[in-house]
Amino acid sequence: IADLRADTNRDGTVDLTGASDDTDEHLWTAARGAIFLANIDDDSSRCSTSTAQSDVALPQCHDAADTIINGPQDLLDTAPLSILAWPEAPDGATARLSLPANSDKVRFFVSESNGDYTHFNHQGGTFSAAALRAGISLRMEGVDIVRNTAAWNGYVDVVLTVEAGTEQATDTVRMRVAPLLTYSHATPVVTGYATNVPGDSDSTDFRTDVQTALTAGSVTAPLVSLTTPGGPDQWTQDLFETGYMTMPTASGVQVMRAAIRSANHYNSGTTNPLRTAGKLVFTTLRGPDMAGIQQYQLGSSSYASYDSFGNLETIPPFTHNGVTWPLGRIIRGSTASDHPDTSMLTMMESQSIQQPLYVDTSWLAVGHIDETISFLPASTPRGWIMLVNDPRLSRTMLQDAVDAGYGSTLIFPGQLTYNSSGTNWVNAQRTINAVLTDTAIMQESLASAVEVDAQVALIKQATGITDAEIVRVPYLHESADGYSVAYQPGTVNGYLINQSIYAPPEPHGPIINGQDIFKVQLQNALAPFGYTVSWVENWYLYHINMGEVHCGTNATRVLPAANWWETGR
């Protein structure tokens, strides 16, 4: 008798008496199929947090890197299996587990009489007749996520073979590793992050304003001020992307959150080739129920900035043309010639659930999707709105101000910026007339508007979003070494706290009748969707360095209600 069971019906338990976990256990569909986690967190906090460890060494420590269960919390990250008892097993009967393919992707542990679990070597180990008579309780862990479906698609077939004398019987259960998923802005912030730049008052002001927004959004966890390895790196969004992996259990869903390190190829050599600050994924963030993930291939990125995770966002859930994306889709800036690390692209595509959509950001100096597009949850047909940079609207607003007699009013009043060589401070403030007659800014803004139009057209085609669900956000562009960058603070590039609080950068627009006209515009545009705007000062720390609020923040978020295993992908 060979009867291997796993949680095929996804209720979190293994049915040892009925057929609920026995029917079609060799298949994996949207309705049935057992699930396991890649057990790559650090539940016992045993991994080194030394920043001296290399990029090669840091990812190698995690719970699946050894052959033990690292405490009761680690046990929760393993999937249950059972070999049903065969009370009549004759002396000499044996059983073994095997995997016809991908045998190195999982590890098994067997329950002992004292309740502990010990490693079972499925590549040679056997169970005795006595064990078969009593029944065998097992746990299984994955040793890694799917990184390339061409090498492994995430499925394993676990085969039980029972032998008694000359007779043999087998039973097979198909299991699938949980995919790595990213959060969209459809759910609220749980924990916010921003880098602390010691001794910098602009960093203090920035983090104070971000904390104000979090407090307004009733986020109880305080903003985490990160210390980055290798010195302050204020571009918190670019260093890592937050994600998660889940499987069903009897008490709900077992969640392993994840921090994905950006594949920024910054340094020479092969030992520490990545952006040093990104080590915080392993030295600060990795721990109990928080995995650290790294993926890169040297020489496979066309421009390091594309690898920053300001260039990876997630479109919220939607249905279009009869196809439903319950957990949304990743969106990245990438073209055939201008692209991020191709192995990272492959890894994210290989998760299968949030198939990426690629748009052209190669015309931008920084090249990030968050410079022109962002998504906010709202009561709309799709459940969200899209904020879109609109340079034409900015020009119209400024021209309207001139027509109303305010052409001599200052834009960026009291602000400084770098001179053309970046060596000295100069006044940033200019009259509205001066900006409108600056041919270079007007031409770059028009060219950028055309590029944004192309981005919007592609997203409309992919999602079905309508103009009524698009909020136009005005700011002009200027040229930087032949590419484009926001001339005014890019208020699309903000921090979404929840469905009522949005935190964009202070626009420092012209003050007319006692009000910043660009603040008024955005506040009025978002009010119908139930939003209060919580402004964040980021001029000196971010804006004049070609970034904004979203670039300087990060977050883990509330998990979506949808379960990935019900998506049909």
Side-chain angles (χ1 to χ4, degrees):
I1 295 176
D3 197 341
L4 177 66
R5 305 278 181 97
D7 180 24
T8 304
N9 68 351
R10 301 170 187 160
D11 66 356
T13 61
V14 178
D15 180 6
L16 303 181
T17 57
S20 64
D21 283 328
D22 197 33
T23 304
D24 293 333
E25 62 184 351
H26 63 293
L27 303 176
W28 209 100
T29 67
R32 296 181 62 81
I35 296 163
F36 64 100
L37 290 175
N39 192 13
I40 54 175
D41 62 345
D42 180 18
D43 282 320
S44 60
S45 300
R46 64 187 178 84
C47 296
S48 173
T49 59
S50 170
T51 59
Q53 285 216 318
S54 71
D55 292 343
V56 175
L58 278 168
Q60 294 180 10
C61 182
H62 49 72
D63 286 345
D66 58 25
T67 57
I68 64 173
I69 298 291
N70 295 280
Q73 193 167 346
D74 188 32
L75 186 64
L76 299 176
D77 294 331
T78 61
L81 297 93
S82 290
I83 299 173
L84 266 61
W86 181 21
E88 298 81 17
D91 291 343
T94 61
R96 66 179 186 273
L97 294 176
S98 61
L99 285 80
N102 306 306
S103 185
D104 60 338
K105 301 301 183 184
V106 301
R107 186 176 290 114
F108 295 95
F109 299 90
V110 61
S111 177
E112 305 292 350
S113 58
N114 62 0
D116 291 340
Y117 281 83
T118 57
H119 176 235
F120 175 75
N121 180 13
H122 64 282
Q123 295 176 313
T126 59
F127 297 107
S128 67
L132 277 171
R133 293 177 192 129
I136 301 163
S137 177
L138 298 158
R139 308 292 293 198
M140 187 178 91
E141 68 179 4
V143 301
D144 200 6
I145 63 170
V146 174
R147 295 179 183 265
N148 187 338
T149 51
W152 179 44
N153 62 6
Y155 295 88
V156 294
D157 288 328
V158 184
V159 180
L160 169 67
T161 302
V162 177
E163 296 179 334
T166 60
E167 299 198 30
Q168 184 183 89
T170 63
D171 194 21
T172 300
V173 173
R174 171 158 289 192
M175 304 185 72
R176 180 180 176 182
V177 71
L180 172 66
L181 304 174
T182 56
Y183 303 97
S184 74
H185 286 172
T187 59
V189 171
V190 173
T191 304
Y193 303 93
T195 301
N196 175 27
V197 181
D200 188 320
S201 61
D202 297 315
S203 174
T204 301
D205 292 344
F206 177 80
R207 287 178 289 117
T208 297
D209 286 350
V210 171
Q211 180 61 71
T212 297
L214 290 168
T215 301
S218 300
V219 178
T220 56
L223 177 71
V224 177
S225 292
L226 295 170
T227 298
T228 52
D233 188 328
Q234 76 260 39
W235 307 100
T236 316
Q237 178 66 214
D238 293 341
L239 305 179
F240 63 98
E241 185 73 18
T242 56
Y244 63 96
M245 299 171 280
T246 57
M247 72 174 180
T249 71
S251 57
V253 174
Q254 178 66 11
V255 180
M256 184 181 294
R257 296 186 185 270
I260 312 163
R261 185 180 183 181
S262 70
N264 291 133
H265 304 176
Y266 267 42
N267 306 312
S268 60
T270 58
T271 303
N272 283 295
L274 301 183
R275 187 174 185 165
T276 305
K279 287 186 176 184
L280 64 79
V281 160
F282 302 103
T283 62
T284 301
L285 299 177
R286 178 177 57 189
D289 291 332
M290 175 65 87
I293 295 173
Q294 178 175 286
Q295 177 66 46
Y296 68 92
Q297 180 181 342
L298 292 180
S300 69
S301 174
S302 65
Y303 175 38
S305 182
Y306 293 142
D307 294 301
S308 296
F309 280 137
N311 192 33
L312 187 153
E313 294 305 309
T314 305
I315 303 170
F318 65 93
T319 297
H320 182 51
N321 287 340
V323 180
T324 298
W325 299 88
L327 294 165
R329 293 183 67 179
I330 287 170
I331 182 168
R332 294 205 77 170
S334 181
T335 68
S337 58
D338 297 284
H339 55 82
D341 181 300
T342 54
S343 72
M344 176 65 81
L345 294 177
T346 296
M347 186 183 81
M348 300 312 295
E349 290 172 352
S350 294
Q351 306 312 308
S352 304
I353 307 298
Q354 300 169 309
Q355 198 62 31
L357 175 68
Y358 297 116
V359 300
D360 187 359
T361 57
S362 61
W363 53 279
L364 291 162
V366 178
H368 295 178
I369 188 62
D370 68 356
E371 296 178 74
T372 55
I373 302 288
S374 64
F375 306 93
L376 276 64
S379 297
T380 65
R382 240 154 297 278
W384 45 271
I385 55 177
M386 183 168 71
L387 306 192
V388 176
N389 172 214
D390 190 342
R392 297 185 188 95
L393 178 56
S394 179
R395 184 186 184 285
T396 297
M397 289 175 61
L398 294 175
Q399 186 60 55
D400 288 346
V402 170
D403 295 343
Y406 295 101
S408 60
T409 301
L410 295 175
I411 188 170
F412 314 142
Q415 300 304 113
L416 301 175
T417 188
Y418 302 124
N419 64 0
S420 58
S421 62
T423 56
N424 294 301
W425 292 106
V426 295
N427 273 329
Q429 63 185 23
R430 304 174 70 185
T431 66
I432 296 176
N433 282 330
V435 172
L436 287 175
T437 56
D438 189 319
T439 304
I441 289 176
M442 292 300 107
Q443 288 179 342
E444 187 61 39
S445 295
L446 178 58
S448 295
V450 173
E451 297 285 0
V452 173
D453 288 346
Q455 293 180 335
V456 171
L458 192 151
I459 297 169
K460 278 185 170 182
Q461 182 181 32
T463 68
I465 191 171
T466 64
D467 289 337
E469 299 163 295
I470 294 176
V471 174
R472 300 286 174 172
V473 182
Y475 48 94
L476 299 172
H477 283 246
E478 63 180 330
S479 178
D481 297 324
Y483 295 91
S484 194
V485 67
Y487 174 64
Q488 297 170 265
T491 43
V492 155
N493 190 313
Y495 193 36
L496 188 281
I497 308 300
N498 58 24
Q499 198 163 341
S500 62
I501 302 294
Y502 177 63
E506 283 271 0
H508 294 284
I511 306 300
I512 297 176
N513 296 323
Q515 297 187 87
D516 182 326
I517 63 173
F518 287 92
K519 277 190 174 183
V520 171
Q521 184 277 335
L522 188 59
Q523 288 166 172
N524 290 343
L526 291 179
F529 301 100
Y531 278 95
T532 297
V533 178
S534 184
W535 299 100
V536 178
E537 180 53 69
N538 83 167
W539 178 274
Y540 291 105
L541 191 62
Y542 292 103
H543 173 64
I544 62 174
N545 294 303
M546 299 194 293
E548 309 290 358
V549 174
H550 188 256
C551 305
T553 53
N554 217 314
T556 57
R557 294 185 176 274
V558 173
L559 256 66
N563 293 316
W564 66 265
W565 51 86
E566 297 168 348
T567 65
R569 293 185 174 82

